Amino acid sequence: MNISSIKKDYLYRLAKQGKRPDGRATSEYRPITIERGVVNMAEGSAMVSIGNTTVLAGIKMDLGEPYPDTPNKGALSTAAELIPLASPDFESGPPRENAIELARVVDRGIRESGTINLEELCIEPGEKVWVVFIDIHILDYDGNLFDACSLAASAALLDAQIPNERFEMGENRPLPVQDPPISCTFVKYNGTIVVDPSLEEDEVAEARYTVAVDKNGDIRAMQKGLSGSFTVDEIRQSIATARQMAPTIRKILEG
Amino acid sequence: MNISSIKKDYLYRLAKQGKRPDGRATSEYRPITIERGVVNMAEGSAMVSIGNTTVLAGIKMDLGEPYPDTPNKGALSTAAELIPLASPDFESGPPRENAIELARVVDRGIRESGTINLEELCIEPGEKVWVVFIDIHILDYDGNLFDACSLAASAALLDAQIPNERFEMGENRPLPVQDPPISCTFVKYNGTIVVDPSLEEDEVAEARYTVAVDKNGDIRAMQKGLSGSFTVDEIRQSIATARQMAPTIRKILEG
Amino acid sequence: MNISSIKKDYLYRLAKQGKRPDGRATSEYRPITIERGVVNMAEGSAMVSIGNTTVLAGIKMDLGEPYPDTPNKGALSTAAELIPLASPDFESGPPRENAIELARVVDRGIRESGTINLEELCIEPGEKVWVVFIDIHILDYDGNLFDACSLAASAALLDAQIPNERFEMGENRPLPVQDPPISCTFVKYNGTIVVDPSLEEDEVAEARYTVAVDKNGDIRAMQKGLSGSFTVDEIRQSIATARQMAPTIRKILEG
Amino acid sequence: MELIKDGKRLDGRKPDELRPIKIEAGPLHRADGSCYLEWGGNKIIAAVYGPKEAIPRHIQNPTRAVINAKYNMASFSVGDRKRPGPDRRSREISKITSEALENVILTEMFPRAMIDVNIEVLDADAGTRCAGITAAAVALADAGIPMEDIPVACAAGKVGDTVVLDLMGEEDQEGQADVPLAIAPRTENILLLQMDGHLTVEEFDRALELAMNGCQQIATMQREALMKKYQSFEED
Amino acid sequence: MELIKDGKRLDGRKPDELRPIKIEAGPLHRADGSCYLEWGGNKIIAAVYGPKEAIPRHIQNPTRAVINAKYNMASFSVGDRKRPGPDRRSREISKITSEALENVILTEMFPRAMIDVNIEVLDADAGTRCAGITAAAVALADAGIPMEDIPVACAAGKVGDTVVLDLMGEEDQEGQADVPLAIAPRTENILLLQMDGHLTVEEFDRALELAMNGCQQIATMQREALMKKYQSFEED
Amino acid sequence: MELIKDGKRLDGRKPDELRPIKIEAGPLHRADGSCYLEWGGNKIIAAVYGPKEAIPRHIQNPTRAVINAKYNMASFSVGDRKRPGPDRRSREISKITSEALENVILTEMFPRAMIDVNIEVLDADAGTRCAGITAAAVALADAGIPMEDIPVACAAGKVGDTVVLDLMGEEDQEGQADVPLAIAPRTENILLLQMDGHLTVEEFDRALELAMNGCQQIATMQREALMKKYQSFEED
């Protein structure tokens, strides 16, 4: 029996008693802190901590061509870098499946919520638009990257200015952003479902479920991951929990 | 003695008796079937089977700049994907030497035969031309990819329409294609030369020779491969065999 | 005790006696030969030997856009290929750290010396400039690549013509080049510092120091490499040695 | 574009109706198991190789088999030519497909092994990830890989303010939400679930119900396709 | 732009004056050792993992640990967005940083091991390679890696015909020379030294003297940051 | 452009005439064997390393040596700068060159070994693959690699409706067909044969005859170059 199966056993036994390794209740979120404007060179930035997990999102904007099928809209590109700074398990090099899934889920939440008014980022239809790059660096990995990255991306967008001055196009003005999504992630292990997993819980998780809700409590994006399964009732219950939590988290984000 | 050398021995003994593992004569081709228009989204497509080998070629066209040395001509790009679907020996990832050689030999046959009238694909000399992409996917590998890919590429070209509508340039019209090459491939093992090698024959082949002939029986492209050698007489005899077979295959292709 | 530590021991013992494996004094350079114009297809070229180390630099020029921050200047790009031809230790594939450091140090020497008059390479400010590509191939590696590559790059530049004819822009004319830097490289092992290291000395080197001086003896670039260290006095002494040697080497280069 | 008119969709379907589906088990000779699937305008082929020794070694798991699904779109399967090779979208789909299939495969029977599942999209018309999982499941069964159940996938979504089953191309592009779902049909456990767009909780419940239903219909077709192949063997 | 006016620099500093520097040891929880550094407009974070078994095996050295420093600039840390991933500049800096740190680490204590040193530039304002080495050194000490000395780095240069210490952004862009230096502060042995620009021998001597001085000042701040962390432990 | 005028070619050659060729064996010090070759406007250098243990291990063949030929064009060897690194053309040439050389090398003498053959095109003027094989063969002999025969290569082709030997640059670009050939000169066995263009069977026979003849002439020069090097050793 190796260390990892001892740890698993320990978490399983705790779970049977409805307990989590850090003493939280199954539907209890860790403290969230958000600091905006931490990177001077970025158009916008935010450092977000959920417990000991810390991520930094930065926004950069550049001029580019619109996509052929959306000539009147700016473009959005989201990337997450699991830099080896944050965990001994992250490797340098091109993004791997985990980083790609993470970035795409964050991107979908923001895109489907209409968070950025992309029409306002069109300069010359079919020719020239603003491209918004959201780059997220994981600095300290202690579980639940999906929610931390989603929050950091939203907070950085709320902080961002369109860099008209750098492109000699007049004065900077705020990026048109509204109603970012609130993402809530759950993992399941040995039959228990917990919100906002810690690192240890991420490590033993059999299934993961993320749902992004808007300010009306409507659903904008979801993603089930890992090889475990959920029942329909478990999904419904998780959505309900997420809708309960979202207003509190939204207040921290927008406050 | 391992499986592969037992197989080799078996083929060698058969070859001494002038026999092949599937009972064919040395200059006997397997049945060929060609189905055009199998892919709705492609400009043209064809599924070709030679025995149990099956490949699918699809044509896509896009607008691009001409090469500087041929400002009045459209461009052609041929790629073959040895996708792992078709054989346990194929790997995913960027194309390897075998796929590159295969695609380049198919490309040379089509290019040197003047199969596509590239002048007619010029829209604005030096500025804008049609680029024709031939992409060939191997679906089931049972020997003789060179001929199967060449046939599929030609059949897909014969099926193709210039996609003027997608680019809002008027009505679609047939791609100007004529006189595709007929490719004939031979392999040599233990002194015997056979046409249209099966998978087992490909596996023990010491040398490979492909020749593409036009409708007049003239030679348009050839490629000798693998580390074995041929004599001048063997090459001449193979060319003669190819010229005999070509009209029958051409009938299947154009019919 | 393996071959490499025997070799190291041997060099250390020699060094104690102030000797080097090929009998040179510590501040003695090997014979230099420079042959210009060896590649017909290049805009300029030079083959340089320092002892048995041989490198070939070729210049190619192309039209391109200037960098946004230098709209009135041509651009320079320097690459070194440690092709496996030159040493059993070089690998094919994308350039590795050693090749990148080498190319960047050569590039800095040339750039900081103002060797190429980049303003004269501007054709249309902000739109079209000449891009100068220096590509250096190592052919035979017997130590001291930094100096050999720097010399070859400078000699090839002195040989280069702007290829106006190939671009139908009038007659070719000499590339505006003046006062190339002279690079001098030292390595330190077991407390001894030697100039122009041979292969064996490169192999046991603990620290490396390269300095590029101009015709006035001023310093234009330097690079300390490897995990060993230098004292301030050792650096000063090396600069003095380099300034003494530079005029002789410059004569060979420009002569 | 009016996506729903008189209760009918662009292609004449009712909201809860699937597109025509054709499943053939075992069309390929070389693969250990295979499946050809037509689903509306989608054409998908899936092939399975394994279990075999996992290579390179560092990917081996000492207690179970590794499932390595690769979803790939042919360059000519879409409107504008797709560059060959995996992009970010296909890498995400490969990952979640591998995870969904791993759920039902008895992987602990084959320690240190790998099972390759190759999914090729030859012609694309929305819903290719669900079609790919459905075809891969049949190919796994055809290869004789032991599974708890044969997974099946189907999407629901919202177009023209109506929750509908199984979006086709135009509905996918112009629609308001898409909910791909994969399940193990016996238990109705959810193996894959994604959503993007805008749904109220009630609409999501309805979409999930429709997709669950669609899955069960397709599961029947999967079993029929496998039966047909085994019967044809017996007839030989 | 007039870089020196009345003996003062753009930001009001004297020629031999450092920018404000703030060093925090151990801000990260996951890393074995870490450091957060603000230096003028630079924001740098460094993390150390190891010693641990070197992987892949072929990079192992049977007699000592391998030092694997990676310098990386965040895409948003500069004016125009930097493409993610290593470019030629960052690969050169990673190489010379690895070499400089290797000099002081007692690598022969850990045969076949590797020590990863990750340096992230979050905000860039000239002098990031020196800031990175300085932060990495604190992170190594925080990780308890045995070292002969704690390396420290600082640049000098020439702007407006004056030799100055510690160039900031505009000085770096418009200046006449830049001389980054890293030393082991006890012996003043030179671990890293680069130069580009145009300096007479006398100017270079002056620049080296200034940089050496700057290094010693920063070495004091490094030690204070480490002391502060250990004291806070004792207070707990 | 009129490629043939009064029975003469652009450079004054007769149809069956080779360009001037200069072969030097062993010009490099570091390589185990090497060759420098000038052939018309082509300048080629070839170097051989090995036999040595094949790395990485998975490429080892337990019964024979692996031949690893790499054909590479210098970025400055052609009119417009070539991007450094292998492209599809050079990878095809590397493959068929490896195969041609493998035919004559007694590879079964060196199980699990590899022999690296590096071919660098420094200056290109048509026919570089033939020149590369010819140079590589001399380098292999210079390295003392045991071979059944010393391979040699030469192209023929068709320009201005005439079948000619050894096309130079303009003939290659404007010509009607090109037939590169490599043989083992003693047996005249064909090791490499390609063709593109348009030839009747009779023209192809003539081209093959010319190329075969050219090969034999060059084979003599190869042997002379090797003799010259060995003689110079004896004279020492």
Side-chain angles (χ1 to χ4, degrees), chain B residues 46-94:
Chain B
M47 178 101 77
V48 165
S49 293
I50 301 180
N52 284 330
T53 290
T54 302
V55 312
L56 173 64
I59 310 293
K60 270 285 167 190
M61 294 177 66
D62 202 350
L63 296 172
E65 279 184 39
Y67 290 108
D69 51 342
T70 54
N72 297 306
K73 287 185 175 185
L76 170 64
S77 166
T78 307
E81 290 214 49
L82 304 185
I83 47 179
L85 189 96
S87 162
D89 303 326
F90 295 167
E91 289 170 40
S92 60

Side-chain angles (χ1 to χ4, degrees), chain B residues 38-42 52 56-58 60 81 83-89 92 133 135 137 139-141 166-167 199 203, chain D residues 27-31 43 45-47 49 52 70 72 74-81 84-85 118 120 122-124:
Chain B
V38 292
V39 177
N40 192 44
M41 299 302 280
N52 284 330
L56 173 64
K60 270 285 167 190
E81 290 214 49
I83 47 179
L85 189 96
S87 162
D89 303 326
S92 60
F133 293 95
D135 283 291
H137 283 231
L139 300 184
D140 213 348
Y141 172 41
R166 199 168 78 238
F167 291 87
L199 175 61
E203 284 172 350
Chain D
L28 299 183
H29 292 78
R30 193 73 198 277
K43 292 197 181 75
I45 195 155
Y49 288 93
K52 55 185 180 182
K70 291 266 182 248
N72 186 40
S75 53
F76 45 74
S77 66
V78 285
D80 290 320
R81 177 172 186 261
N118 302 290
E120 287 292 313
L122 306 178
D123 221 344

Side-chain angles (χ1 to χ4, degrees), chain B residues 7 18 43 46 72 88 92 96 100 125 142 144 169 184 195-197 206 213 252:
Chain B
K7 207 189 255 180
E43 267 69 276
N72 297 306
S92 60
R96 287 157 178 271
I100 289 171
D142 194 33
N144 196 11
M169 290 168 57
C184 239
V195 75
D196 177 28
E206 294 147 18
V213 298
I252 300 170

Side-chain angles (χ1 to χ4, degrees), chain A residues 224-245:
Chain A
K224 181 259 162 189
L226 305 185
S227 66
S229 64
F230 289 101
T231 64
V232 170
D233 281 348
E234 287 168 344
I235 293 294
R236 284 193 182 132
Q237 182 54 52
S238 298
I239 294 172
T241 306
R243 295 176 79 208
Q244 277 176 349
M245 300 208 146

Side-chain angles (χ1 to χ4, degrees), chain C residues 224-240:
Chain C
K224 181 261 162 188
L226 306 184
S227 67
S229 66
F230 289 99
T231 64
V232 170
D233 281 346
E234 286 169 344
I235 294 294
R236 284 193 182 132
Q237 182 54 51
S238 298
I239 294 172

Side-chain angles (χ1 to χ4, degrees), chain C residues 53-231:
Chain C
T53 290
T54 303
V55 312
L56 173 64
I59 310 293
K60 271 284 167 191
M61 294 177 66
D62 202 351
L63 296 173
E65 280 184 37
Y67 290 108
D69 50 344
T70 52
N72 297 305
K73 286 186 178 185
L76 170 64
S77 165
T78 307
E81 290 214 49
L82 304 186
I83 47 179
L85 189 96
S87 164
D89 304 326
F90 295 168
E91 290 171 40
S92 61
R96 285 156 179 271
E97 274 57 26
N98 288 334
I100 289 171
E101 185 187 15
L102 175 57
R104 285 178 61 84
V105 171
V106 170
D107 186 276
R108 276 203 285 271
I110 287 167
R111 196 179 291 273
E112 302 298 338
S113 304
T115 306
I116 308 173
N117 188 331
L118 293 173
E119 277 87 358
E120 280 192 38
L121 299 184
C122 178
I123 297 167
E124 211 182 315
E127 296 290 329
K128 194 155 67 163
V129 298
W130 284 110
V131 185
V132 179
F133 293 94
I134 307 178
D135 284 290
I136 310 168
H137 283 232
I138 318 301
L139 301 183
D140 213 349
Y141 171 40
D142 194 33
N144 197 10
L145 292 180
F146 283 78
D147 293 355
C149 290
S150 174
L151 262 181
S154 292
L157 287 172
L158 287 167
D159 179 54
Q161 297 278 320
I162 300 178
N164 286 319
E165 290 166 18
R166 199 167 78 237
F167 291 86
E168 298 176 0
M169 290 168 57
E171 288 188 7
N172 288 358
R173 61 186 179 87
L175 186 68
V177 171
Q178 61 176 8
D179 302 334
I182 298 298
S183 157
C184 239
T185 294
F186 303 81
V187 300
K188 180 176 174 181
Y189 53 93
N190 209 30
T192 299
I193 294 177
V194 300
V195 74
D196 177 27
S198 67
L199 175 61
E200 285 163 306
E201 290 170 330
D202 263 356
E203 285 171 348
V204 303
E206 294 147 18
R208 190 192 61 241
Y209 174 66
T210 299
V211 57
V213 299
D214 65 19
K215 64 177 175 183
N216 300 319
D218 289 352
I219 304 167
R220 298 296 188 138
M222 54 175 72
Q223 178 91 345
K224 181 261 162 188
L226 306 184
S227 67
S229 66
F230 289 99
T231 64

Side-chain angles (χ1 to χ4, degrees), chain C residues 38-42 52 56-60 81 83-89 92 133 135 137 139-141 166 199 203, chain F residues 27-31 43 45-47 49 52 70 72 74-81 84-85 118 120 122-124:
Chain C
V38 292
V39 177
N40 192 43
M41 299 302 280
N52 285 329
L56 173 64
I59 310 293
K60 271 284 167 191
E81 290 214 49
I83 47 179
L85 189 96
S87 164
D89 304 326
S92 61
F133 293 94
D135 284 290
H137 283 232
L139 301 183
D140 213 349
Y141 171 40
R166 199 167 78 237
L199 175 61
E203 285 171 348
Chain F
L28 300 183
H29 292 78
R30 194 73 198 277
K43 293 198 182 72
I45 196 155
Y49 288 92
K52 55 185 178 180
K70 292 265 182 248
N72 186 40
S75 54
F76 45 73
S77 66
V78 285
D80 290 321
R81 179 174 184 260
N118 302 291
E120 287 291 314
L122 305 177
D123 221 344

Side-chain angles (χ1 to χ4, degrees), chain A residues 38-43 47 52 56-60 62 77 79 81 83-89 92 133 135-137 139-142 166-167 199 203, chain E residues 27-31 36 41 43 45-47 49 52 70 72-82 84-86 116 118-125:
Chain A
V38 292
V39 177
N40 192 43
M41 298 303 279
E43 265 71 274
M47 178 102 76
N52 285 330
L56 173 64
I59 310 294
K60 270 285 166 189
D62 203 349
S77 165
E81 290 214 48
I83 47 178
L85 189 97
S87 163
D89 304 326
S92 61
F133 293 94
D135 284 290
I136 310 168
H137 283 231
L139 300 184
D140 213 348
Y141 172 41
D142 194 32
R166 199 167 79 237
F167 292 87
L199 175 61
E203 284 171 349
Chain E
L28 299 184
H29 293 78
R30 193 73 198 278
Y36 175 69
K43 292 198 182 73
I45 195 154
Y49 289 92
K52 55 186 179 179
K70 292 266 182 248
N72 186 40
M73 294 189 95
S75 54
F76 45 73
S77 66
V78 285
D80 291 320
R81 178 173 185 260
K82 189 197 156 293
D116 281 340
N118 303 290
I119 300 166
E120 288 291 314
V121 179
L122 306 177
D123 221 343
D125 181 34

